[in-house]
Amino acid sequence: MAKLSVNINKVATLRNARGGNNPDVERVAQDCEKFGAQGITVHPRPDERHIRYEDVRLLKPLITTEFNIEGNPIPSFTDLVLEVKPKQVTLVPDGHDQLTSNHGWDTLENRPFLTDICQVFREAGIRTSIFVDPDPRMVEGAAKCGADRVELYTEPYAAGYEANREAAIAPFIEAAKAARDCGLGLNAGHDLSLVNLRYFNEQIPWLDEVSIGHALICDALYMGLENTIRQYLERLKIKH
């Protein structure tokens, strides 16, 4: 069964809108674990508009499942990850003021840089995942950079799901097969939801982990956090 890592960035966005500590990001992370999530994901950006660097430091001793820190490995981010030492770091090619992640790495063009940064994290004992588009060439490039996993950028799948889910999933299956052939672990994330998650998971049953934030937090406004996490976990069960 693929693991569910809950991205709590949107909780921090809500907190930051009013200042103070409501909602409490640390408590939400612990509650997500209590309700069954197998991991917590954060994506601190340089402007700290949602998760702050200090949040990352405070969360580390509280998380008992898997801690995944994602972001662009600029020097300040790299220093933070090496300080906190999460189980996994996910490298994402975000610009400084980017609203949200909208593409993966070109692992061929950026191979020297990604190879160096993967080695830095490997030497620190941190599993490294590279965020890529569903392109077997980019997956194979990630393997050559020394990554342990890739995370497939799933927004195109989510956007095409209602119109033709078979066509939408096709490039992701090919990319997932390339990851398996290269010996890479496989993660996925971005716009996965209660609507489209089950089909994605059933078509790629060797998926290791999904990272879900925006849709899950939105669903929790209506269904409650505990019930929402239970629903996402249910969709990650492979039905035979």
Side-chain angles (χ1 to χ4, degrees), residues 2 6 21 31 47 55 65 68 72 74 80 135 171 212-213 218 239:
V6 177
N21 194 40
D31 284 343
D47 61 7
D55 290 328
T65 57
N68 172 47
N72 194 337
I74 60 175
L80 177 69
D135 181 338
I212 304 177
C218 290
K239 297 185 183 300

Side-chain angles (χ1 to χ4, degrees), residues 1-232:
M1 177 176 169
K3 293 181 178 180
L4 171 66
S5 185
V6 177
N7 186 320
I8 58 172
N9 275 24
K10 287 299 184 293
V11 178
T13 301
L14 183 59
R15 175 200 62 188
N16 295 352
R18 286 287 297 269
N21 194 40
N22 188 26
D24 185 329
V25 170
E26 296 165 55
R27 178 179 175 182
V28 170
Q30 291 177 296
D31 284 343
C32 287
E33 292 185 315
K34 182 172 68 176
F35 299 149
Q38 296 109 336
I40 299 296
T41 291
V42 294
H43 188 147
R45 288 185 164 88
D47 61 7
E48 299 195 323
R49 64 181 180 269
H50 33 64
I51 286 291
R52 301 167 180 154
Y53 278 34
E54 188 59 24
D55 290 328
V56 178
R57 296 184 178 98
L58 293 172
L59 284 164
K60 177 58 165 62
L62 301 178
I63 292 173
T64 59
T65 57
E66 180 177 294
F67 197 19
N68 172 47
I69 304 176
E70 60 182 30
N72 194 337
I74 60 175
S76 59
F77 176 88
T78 300
D79 290 345
L80 177 69
V81 172
L82 292 174
E83 174 192 344
V84 173
K85 288 187 170 59
K87 177 67 175 181
Q88 176 175 267
V89 59
T90 301
L91 310 182
V92 183
D94 281 345
H96 177 76
D97 57 353
Q98 195 163 321
L99 179 62
T100 187
S101 305
N102 60 15
H103 65 284
W105 285 97
D106 184 329
T107 57
L108 306 180
E109 181 178 330
N110 295 282
R111 182 175 175 182
F113 171 73
L114 291 172
T115 299
D116 288 346
I117 198 67
C118 284
Q119 182 176 354
V120 167
F121 291 134
R122 186 188 309 109
E123 290 175 352
I126 302 168
R127 186 173 73 225
T128 304
S129 177
I130 297 180
F131 194 66
V132 296
D133 296 319
D135 181 338
R137 297 178 307 129
M138 297 301 112
V139 173
E140 292 162 3
K144 292 176 181 177
C145 292
D148 301 295
R149 292 188 181 184
V150 288
E151 178 174 331
L152 299 180
Y153 169 54
T154 49
E155 191 276 335
Y157 163 75
Y161 178 83
E162 292 290 348
N164 187 333
R165 67 181 189 176
E166 291 82 7
I169 195 68
F172 290 87
I173 293 175
E174 293 308 307
K177 288 177 178 177
R180 185 174 58 184
D181 292 344
C182 291
L184 291 173
L186 184 66
N187 300 339
H190 205 90
D191 286 353
L192 293 174
S193 69
L194 289 176
V195 173
N196 59 45
L197 179 59
R198 187 188 302 280
Y199 184 72
F200 190 93
N201 186 53
E202 288 176 345
Q203 298 305 304
I204 308 174
W206 60 94
L207 187 64
D208 289 303
E209 175 185 297
V210 293
S211 175
I212 304 177
H214 184 79
L216 189 150
I217 298 303
C218 290
D219 289 333
L221 293 175
Y222 294 94
M223 300 190 298
L225 185 60
E226 182 173 6
N227 183 41
T228 296
I229 289 176
R230 186 181 303 117
Q231 293 292 324
Y232 275 88

